[in-house]
Amino acid sequence: MKRVAAVDLGASSGRVMLGEVGDGVLNLTEIHRFWNGPVQLRDTLHWDILHLYHSMLEGLTQAGSVDSVGIDSWAVDYGLLDSAGHLLGNPIHYRDSRTDAVMEKVLETVSAEELYAITGLQQLPFNTIYQLAAEGLRKQAETLLMIPDLLGYWLTGEIGAERTNASTTQLYDVRAREWSSELARRIGLPMELLPPLREPGDVLGTLLPAVAEETGLAATTPVIAVGSHDTASSVVAVPAADERFAYISSGTWSLVGLELDAPVLSAEAREANFTNEGGVDGRIRFLRNVMGLWILQECQRIWGADDLPTLLRDAADAPPFAVLIDPDAPEFLAPGNMPRRIEEHCRASGQEPPQSQAATIRCVLESLALAYRRTLRQAQTIADRPVDVLHVIGGGSQNELLCQLTADACGLPVLAGPVEASALGNVLVQARALGEPLPDLGAMRALVRATHQLRRYEPQGKPADWDAAESRVFGTR
């Protein structure tokens, strides 16, 4: 039996989870949960990285003796180190406005077609390449580390870049599976800034003496690279029985897509804005980022509404398709008064805004289900991969109304769960690196199926109603 600590950092909260893995055993226990979110300092939105580091150490202290530690987090954001290994300022949040209009300037230097041919990455204004262009490299900067790599460096003193998160930067050659020296040269980025790449399952190193003393863990405890992009870890834990599946990693963001053996770099994929991100065991996560529960979370924050189950019950009784929005519209990206933005979006599209909290939630969830439907159908067509079942994993798998609407919209059975998919994927990769007999993703997923209860949602309603609703929001495709 292996006992490991999974540090799992989401865009709104972090947690340290204790995983136990053995023959027919996959247990997960939450040890320490802590806040994570944007911190506004003057005109810049930051992450509080020192709070995250301190909270991680608190969780590791509470976990007690473990065989290893692994870290996953959201993508694209980074810290810069100087030549002495000191952090040059708090990492900036991807929702910060500094990248506004930067993408267009970069595309004057390297075209969208060239970028996609090399990286296979979805064009998003907050991709690392655009953040770097917005920031301008500081003269003192010697090393760029993605968030999990930065925290791993502080635990071990070892520098490197895990591939799944590196693949989200738009500086990574998705076919060669290396940093792209061509792109770095074109945008004036020194290659020395990009650290050596690691595979999920590689050992970063063991705990620094000061870390071991503070946490009470043995100094020989290894820190293991996992699928450090949290979606890469989540997809490891998709409890699929064969290859004919799609997934939605549902949380603050919704990552909607397929798992493939090779990237799809066609013009059709680029024009549809699909991304080819690295996965564990060399797989490709062919997906599109869709706005997730962020809109709902911001509505709750503005309303001061903590009783989500009651809100969802009321939303389930609200009239269907009364009001619809495009959840990926740029006005929904930044923090702010989301109910007011929904009202303004509706008026601009010629609709009467929702008149209650329940109607607003119904609008948000139906609109998300429509975005999932559109994305999933495009993915199947572009990748020529038919799908029999849709797995919804992550925190959104607990939202029964959203899961049912997703099944209805996509016309597919939805299997919901596990909730803590990213932590489970983190734990499974660590356990394999420690010698547990989990030779491939199939074995890992079989263990998830055997140990975690899933909920099934069958499609209901009329497909023609969803066809009409999709046409209202996205036009005829």
Side-chain angles (χ1 to χ4, degrees):
M1 179 84 71
K2 298 297 186 293
R3 193 173 187 270
V4 305
V7 181
D8 178 33
L9 304 176
S12 57
S13 69
R15 64 220 118 238
V16 176
M17 310 289 282
L18 179 64
E20 296 176 310
V21 185
D23 185 14
V25 175
L26 178 56
N27 296 326
L28 198 61
T29 304
E30 183 178 300
I31 300 299
H32 182 48
R33 182 177 287 263
F34 44 92
W35 173 86
N36 185 27
V39 177
Q40 186 79 38
L41 181 60
R42 299 182 68 183
D43 60 351
T44 303
L45 204 61
H46 292 270
W47 294 104
D48 191 348
I49 194 69
L50 297 182
H51 161 72
L52 294 181
Y53 175 69
H54 175 71
S55 299
M56 175 179 68
L57 293 187
E58 283 189 329
L60 294 178
T61 300
Q62 295 172 32
S65 177
V66 293
D67 296 310
S68 65
V69 177
I71 307 169
D72 68 78
S73 85
W74 68 96
V76 305
D77 291 336
Y78 59 90
L80 293 173
L81 304 182
D82 66 14
S83 59
H86 298 144
L87 182 66
L88 296 171
N90 236 11
I92 297 178
H93 196 291
Y94 62 83
R95 294 189 192 274
D96 183 75
S97 61
R98 67 177 177 159
T99 56
D100 292 353
V102 170
M103 183 166 66
E104 291 77 7
K105 293 181 181 178
V106 172
L107 294 178
E108 293 173 1
T109 302
V110 53
S111 71
E113 291 81 3
E114 290 174 296
L115 270 175
Y116 199 80
I118 295 170
T119 69
L121 212 65
Q122 179 180 4
Q123 287 286 11
L124 293 169
F126 47 73
N127 287 345
T128 312
I129 192 173
Y130 303 126
Q131 292 198 45
L132 287 166
E135 180 170 6
L137 284 179
R138 310 177 196 186
K139 291 182 179 179
Q140 310 99 306
E142 293 281 342
T143 305
L144 180 150
L145 293 179
M146 307 302 285
I147 297 299
D149 300 322
L150 175 61
L151 294 172
Y153 165 66
W154 284 341
L155 290 182
T156 67
E158 299 295 333
I159 284 176
E162 188 276 321
R163 288 185 187 278
T164 69
N165 224 322
S167 75
T168 71
T169 62
Q170 218 165 17
L171 292 163
Y172 179 87
D173 188 320
V174 70
R175 289 174 297 184
R177 301 183 74 244
E178 296 289 349
W179 294 117
S180 172
S181 57
E182 169 66 12
L183 285 180
R185 181 187 64 79
R186 296 278 291 278
I187 68 168
L189 184 73
M191 277 297 292
E192 296 77 19
L193 197 72
L194 303 175
L197 290 160
R198 300 176 175 131
E199 298 286 352
D202 286 353
V203 175
L204 279 65
T206 54
L207 298 180
L208 291 168
V211 173
E213 181 177 357
E214 182 168 352
T215 61
L217 298 178
T220 55
T221 304
V223 178
I224 295 173
V226 296
S228 71
H229 183 197
D230 52 9
T231 307
S233 278
S234 292
V235 173
V236 169
V238 171
D242 57 40
E243 293 184 348
R244 292 172 65 95
F245 73 93
Y247 57 84
I248 301 176
S249 181
S250 179
T252 300
W253 285 95
S254 294
L255 294 306
V256 184
L258 311 172
E259 183 179 70
L260 303 177
D261 293 326
V264 179
L265 303 175
S266 64
E268 189 179 13
R270 177 181 58 79
E271 290 164 3
N273 214 15
F274 275 86
T275 202
N276 294 268
E277 295 174 353
V280 171
D281 289 357
R283 300 295 178 87
I284 293 294
R285 293 175 288 124
F286 183 67
L287 59 88
R288 189 161 64 208
N289 283 42
V290 175
M291 193 68 71
L293 294 173
W294 164 252
I295 300 177
L296 177 57
Q297 291 164 354
E298 282 292 275
C299 286
Q300 285 183 262
R301 183 179 66 81
I302 294 298
W303 292 331
D306 296 326
D307 187 5
L308 183 58
T310 298
L311 289 172
L312 291 174
R313 284 196 297 272
D314 293 343
D317 294 331
F321 307 122
V323 186
L324 297 168
I325 62 173
D326 177 359
D328 292 318
E331 57 263 37
F332 300 128
L333 178 62
N337 191 328
M338 209 62 73
R340 182 180 301 162
R341 291 177 188 174
I342 291 172
E343 292 176 11
E344 293 169 352
H345 183 97
C346 289
R347 290 194 178 97
S349 59
Q351 302 178 90
E352 183 69 22
Q355 300 300 304
S356 67
Q357 291 182 2
T360 299
I361 291 174
R362 181 85 189 203
C363 161
V364 170
L365 297 187
E366 282 184 335
S367 300
L368 284 176
L370 283 169
Y372 300 161
R373 164 194 171 102
R374 176 171 174 259
T375 301
L376 183 56
R377 292 188 172 189
Q378 288 180 323
Q380 292 180 81
T381 298
I382 293 169
D384 192 23
R385 170 66 66 83
V387 166
D388 297 329
V389 63
L390 175 57
H391 288 271
V392 176
I393 55 177
S397 66
Q398 300 175 100
N399 189 318
E400 296 180 8
L401 179 56
L402 179 57
C403 288
Q404 185 61 62
L405 291 171
T406 300
D408 298 347
C410 296
L412 288 167
V414 164
L415 285 178
V419 175
E420 296 287 2
S422 53
L424 284 172
N426 181 323
V427 164
L428 287 164
V429 170
Q430 288 189 68
R432 181 172 67 175
L434 293 169
E436 280 297 314
L438 297 166
D440 54 28
L441 291 173
M444 295 180 185
R445 290 167 177 162
L447 184 57
V448 176
R449 289 197 305 275
T451 54
H452 286 72
Q453 188 172 3
L454 310 178
R455 178 160 183 181
R456 188 179 182 95
Y457 297 83
E458 294 291 346
Q460 300 174 7
K462 299 177 181 178
D465 292 340
W466 289 95
D467 290 339
E470 182 178 356
S471 180
R472 281 172 55 189
V473 178
F474 300 113
T476 304
R477 293 292 189 270

